[in-house]
Amino acid sequence: MLMFKKLLSALTVMLFVFGMNVSAQDFQKANLGKIMPKFAGKNVITSKIDLAADELWTGYWDGVVNEKTAMVGVQQTNGVTYGCAIKYPAGYDIVQGKTIKGIKFSFPDSKHIANVKVFIATELPNSAEEANVTYQEVKEITGLQNEKDPFNEVRFDTPYVVDPSKPVYIGYYFDVTGGSTNAEKFPVLIQPGKDRKDAMLMCFKLGSQAEAWADYNGQGFGVLAMQALISGTFDDYAVNVAKDLGSIIGSKGSFDLPIVVENAGLKGFESVTVEVDVNGIKTEVESKPKAPVMGIGTKYTFTAKVATPETMGTYDYTVKVTKINGQPVSKESVGKGQMMLLSRIAQHRVFYEEFTGMWCGWCPRGMVAIEKIKQVYGDKVVIVAAHSGDALACNEYAKVIKVFATGFPMAAADRIYNGDPYYGSDNTEFGVKNDIDKLMATVPVAEIFSKPFLDGDILTATAEVNFLYSGDASDYAIGYVLTHDGMKNSKWIQANNYANFKGQGLEDVEPLFEPWVNGKSKAKDVVYGEVAMSAKGIESGVAGSVPAEVTAEVPFTHSVEFDLSKLKKIQDRDKLNLVVVLFNTKTGTVVNSAIMSVKDGTAGIEEIEGEDSNVVETARYTIDGRRINQPEAGVNIVKYSDGKIKKVIVK
């Protein structure tokens, strides 16, 4: 079962960078024409309605409309009802004790928008009329096509004083009645690259098909371009930290802890000091952002090197804001969480999956992304190219592709970030690097190593796993992928829409696009790499592959077999690779991964008789990858202190 939260299958995202669409294949040439350029670089957080002294617009969206602004929708332009909302959790500092008086939002094009209703509720309603606080119709609407008046700013007839014990939802419903342009097909404005919980809640109804409310946090979409009008007393200087810090992983002794704070003061801040307390061990850290942090609700992230207990385990910790701009705070803000301390920090190799097809004219962008990733990261990123609908399709990947590939090309990194393979979740030039960097900075609870061995047609695929803590490991499992490099066939034709980009300078921005820009629309003799040939447990791991209990720094192995005689697509066995992946089955995400070429794995094993007396044996395995303490009759795989791995025949 795929544990990762599934994207709504009918929802499509339209992303625009510098006026050029970079998302799903069917819409690559679409753009917003004259609508977006006139907003480039503009900050439209100002209000067109008169505000009282104690009122301000605020929200997860910062109010900026520019070349990164995007649209989402279901692509149908008649008979669709949308619901859009943001949520302020119960006790959220920014709105606690305040009054919500209005809502701000817009449409790319309002020509075919009807039945617009805004609402406030303490639980998500199935329609605006069902909102349990208030709702009202919006008679006159506007959109980005109206330069003088692009935003709908609505005062609620019945303001709402926030109950700190309840969450509050602010949103709007509307119908789409027609149209044919992209601005009409994708009527919801978002800001990519700012994924945040509760900041993009959506539902829709399309004929008999109705999708319930869903939170798109972490799915690469971003936040809704929507704000609330709030009134109340705001401090000039205030900084908050989340009350629930959740769980984090680090190393015993000390480690770098990411700290996230949120501005809650009218005048922003130039420095912030926090005290981190881990089981009674306190560290005070001051951080100064490059530029003042302004705007209510604006987040600021920095790293603090904190002292921790010297013993592995799980500990409570707190983060408390103590000073703003060097002065003691007038209002305390404290967050609490749990910290798992490991024996040490291990290398995190990000698992990057690209979903592609020869029929897909925009999929060369995914090939460019793979080459760029290899240039930048080398073996620190483990890559699999999973084809669909062509001669290289891998059957075992079908369900994974169905979940993660809402369009082509698409990619997933550690099954956490899901979006364009090159532009990434924040929709910028080689933006996937930002996604990979964030994942690479996270701490894995275990190391995993790939150990392939080919004997005739049978490939024994072994994963060696070393957990860095002791305890329950029931939420983990191992998956395997056999990939093939250097694949080529004169009959294969790769669709290439980039052949239409001659003279536009794309290859000047990224030289790896040059062969495609200067190539043909139906490209021949393309060489395909990292191609998934076969897989086992690639959805969420092989059941029972990880013990229920593990001991820190005590490795174990698990193996499966691939019969290469049944994989007719293989062109050259020397170009095969074994990818092993450690999944967290509870979250559906990837903990760590590794890759080794089958040629290197097999070549590293020498055929000898007996023991090598000049070195010390460090580990011994059976041919199927089972670790043993004593020699067993038959073929044993022995690892020695000089790094050699030898096949030993025990009689």
Side-chain angles (χ1 to χ4, degrees):
M1 177 180 176
L2 288 162
M3 301 299 292
F4 188 89
K5 183 194 290 184
K6 185 177 179 181
L7 289 171
L8 296 182
S9 60
L11 192 66
T12 306
V13 64
M14 295 292 295
L15 300 179
F16 295 83
V17 173
F18 307 116
M20 183 180 71
N21 182 357
V22 298
S23 188
Q25 61 175 25
D26 293 339
F27 317 110
Q28 285 293 325
K29 294 182 180 178
N31 59 61
L32 284 173
K34 297 180 179 179
I35 296 178
M36 292 310 299
K38 68 187 180 184
F39 288 102
K42 289 187 178 181
N43 186 316
V44 294
I45 201 167
T46 54
S47 179
K48 69 180 182 182
I49 61 177
D50 293 331
L51 299 182
D54 65 344
E55 294 179 337
L56 58 82
W57 289 107
T58 187
Y60 302 123
W61 172 54
D62 58 14
V64 174
V65 176
N66 56 25
E67 67 275 3
K68 293 183 180 180
T69 302
M71 309 181 295
V72 295
V74 297
Q75 201 191 354
Q76 184 160 326
T77 56
N78 191 18
V80 187
T81 298
Y82 289 88
C84 304
I86 60 173
K87 171 188 175 183
Y88 291 128
Y92 183 58
D93 290 317
I94 300 297
V95 299
Q96 188 168 327
K98 309 294 193 302
T99 300
I100 297 176
K101 291 187 173 181
I103 182 174
K104 175 193 288 191
F105 59 97
S106 187
F107 301 102
D109 190 332
S110 60
K111 188 184 305 180
H112 297 285
I113 302 296
N115 299 321
V116 180
K117 300 180 180 71
V118 296
F119 67 86
I120 305 175
T122 58
E123 55 186 45
L124 283 169
N126 293 322
S127 66
E129 292 86 347
E130 295 181 34
N132 62 357
V133 175
T134 188
Y135 90 94
Q136 67 191 60
E137 295 184 16
V138 183
K139 297 294 185 181
E140 297 183 5
I141 59 172
T142 186
L144 294 186
Q145 83 283 0
N146 186 340
E147 185 171 6
K148 294 183 179 180
D149 188 17
F151 283 89
N152 302 289
E153 296 180 358
V154 182
R155 282 188 178 275
F156 287 105
D157 295 334
T158 306
Y160 172 64
V161 179
V162 176
D163 183 340
S165 68
K166 297 179 181 180
V168 57
Y169 298 88
I170 307 101
Y172 59 102
Y173 273 91
F174 67 93
D175 295 338
V176 177
T177 60
S180 59
T181 67
N182 287 325
E184 294 165 329
K185 293 178 181 177
F186 304 94
V188 180
L189 286 171
I190 64 170
Q191 184 67 57
K194 297 183 64 178
D195 277 6
R196 176 170 174 163
K197 186 178 181 182
D198 304 324
M200 186 178 174
L201 308 177
M202 287 187 63
C203 67
F204 67 88
K205 184 177 182 181
L206 174 60
S208 60
Q209 178 187 2
E211 294 287 354
W213 286 99
D215 186 352
Y216 286 85
N217 172 58
Q219 312 260 343
F221 288 99
V223 303
L224 288 169
M226 181 173 68
Q227 292 183 327
L229 179 61
I230 299 175
S231 73
T233 301
F234 293 89
D235 296 327
D236 285 342
Y237 300 101
V239 176
N240 296 326
V241 63
K243 291 180 173 60
D244 182 4
L245 299 175
S247 299
I248 195 165
I249 300 170
S251 63
K252 60 187 179 69
S254 70
F255 79 104
D256 292 334
L257 176 69
I259 305 287
V260 181
V261 297
E262 188 175 60
N263 178 54
L266 293 174
K267 295 185 178 181
F269 64 89
E270 296 180 356
S271 72
V272 61
T273 303
V274 299
E275 179 188 83
V276 181
D277 184 336
V278 186
N279 200 41
I281 301 175
K282 297 180 180 180
T283 305
E284 189 170 76
V285 178
E286 181 185 31
S287 180
K288 296 181 179 181
K290 293 180 180 179
V293 177
M294 304 297 296
I296 298 290
T298 301
K299 285 195 172 187
Y300 171 59
T301 301
F302 61 97
T303 300
K305 182 171 284 296
V306 300
T308 64
E310 293 288 346
T311 305
M312 288 187 302
T314 301
Y315 301 91
D316 293 332
Y317 81 103
T318 62
V319 176
K320 178 169 64 176
V321 178
T322 59
K323 296 178 183 178
I324 301 172
N325 299 337
Q327 300 299 313
V329 297
S330 58
K331 185 184 300 181
E332 187 178 76
S333 178
V334 181
K336 298 180 180 180
Q338 280 200 322
M339 182 179 293
M340 173 188 278
L341 299 183
L342 308 177
S343 59
R344 57 186 168 85
I345 301 297
Q347 171 73 54
H348 180 183
R349 285 183 167 81
V350 174
F351 183 53
Y352 174 92
E353 298 164 288
E354 187 228 358
F355 309 112
T356 185
M358 296 179 191
W359 49 269
C360 167
W362 299 107
C363 286
R365 185 169 68 252
M367 297 182 195
V368 169
I370 287 175
E371 291 306 308
K372 186 76 170 181
I373 289 169
K374 289 193 293 186
Q375 285 182 5
V376 173
Y377 296 100
D379 65 357
K380 293 180 181 179
V381 175
V382 175
I383 299 172
V384 172
H387 284 244
S388 177
D390 65 17
L392 294 178
C394 176
N395 293 334
E396 293 89 348
Y397 248 100
K399 290 183 179 180
V400 177
I401 291 173
K402 186 176 181 180
V403 171
F404 290 96
T406 55
F408 286 78
M410 290 284 280
D414 278 350
R415 305 261 173 106
I416 293 175
Y417 290 104
N418 185 208
D420 188 272
Y422 181 81
Y423 292 99
S425 64
D426 66 358
N427 194 35
T428 58
E429 192 68 39
F430 193 46
V432 71
K433 182 180 186 298
N434 298 327
D435 298 333
I436 292 174
D437 286 346
K438 290 175 186 176
L439 293 169
M440 200 167 285
T442 61
V443 179
V445 297
E447 300 170 302
I448 188 168
F449 304 95
S450 171
K451 297 178 178 292
F453 175 67
L454 183 61
D455 186 5
D457 290 331
I458 303 303
L459 174 68
T460 301
T462 300
E464 180 180 290
V465 185
N466 182 30
F467 275 84
L468 304 175
Y469 72 91
S470 299
D472 180 19
S474 57
D475 288 336
Y476 299 96
I478 303 166
Y480 302 82
V481 189
L482 190 62
T483 68
H484 197 316
D485 290 330
M487 301 195 75
K488 186 176 179 181
N489 189 310
S490 60
K491 296 181 180 179
W492 295 342
I493 304 296
Q494 175 65 55
N496 174 30
N497 291 351
Y498 286 96
N500 299 320
F501 279 63
K502 289 183 177 67
Q504 297 186 26
L506 180 61
E507 67 273 31
D508 296 331
V509 178
E510 175 50 71
L512 290 172
F513 275 110
E514 191 275 333
W516 301 103
V517 171
N518 293 315
K520 296 182 178 180
S521 60
K522 295 183 178 180
K524 295 183 179 180
D525 298 322
V526 174
V527 178
Y528 297 90
E530 295 80 27
V531 180
M533 291 282 98
S534 184
K536 295 181 186 293
I538 195 55
E539 293 179 37
S540 57
V542 176
S545 54
V546 174
E549 294 283 329
V550 294
T551 302
E553 304 289 3
V554 178
F556 66 89
T557 60
H558 178 267
S559 298
V560 296
E561 290 185 349
F562 291 91
D563 186 348
L564 302 192
S565 67
K566 296 181 179 179
L567 301 177
K568 305 301 183 183
K569 297 175 185 176
I570 294 176
Q571 296 179 340
D572 186 346
R573 292 186 178 186
D574 284 347
K575 295 181 179 179
L576 294 175
N577 310 291
L578 174 64
V579 173
V580 291
V581 182
L582 181 63
F583 288 101
N584 182 321
T585 58
K586 186 175 182 180
T587 63
T589 59
V590 172
V591 175
N592 218 336
S593 62
I595 185 171
M596 178 179 278
S597 73
V598 171
K599 181 180 179 180
D600 288 346
T602 303
I605 299 177
E606 302 176 12
E607 299 245 11
I608 67 168
E609 295 282 340
E611 301 281 347
D612 185 338
S613 60
N614 297 321
V615 293
V616 177
E617 178 181 320
T618 59
R620 182 178 289 260
Y621 305 90
T622 61
I623 192 66
D624 64 356
R626 178 172 53 86
R627 188 164 186 168
I628 54 179
N629 296 321
Q630 301 293 331
E632 290 187 3
V635 178
N636 290 189
I637 307 299
V638 183
K639 184 177 181 180
Y640 291 97
S641 56
D642 63 356
K644 291 183 179 179
I645 301 174
K646 299 181 179 181
K647 183 163 66 174
V648 176
I649 300 173
V650 180
K651 297 181 179 179

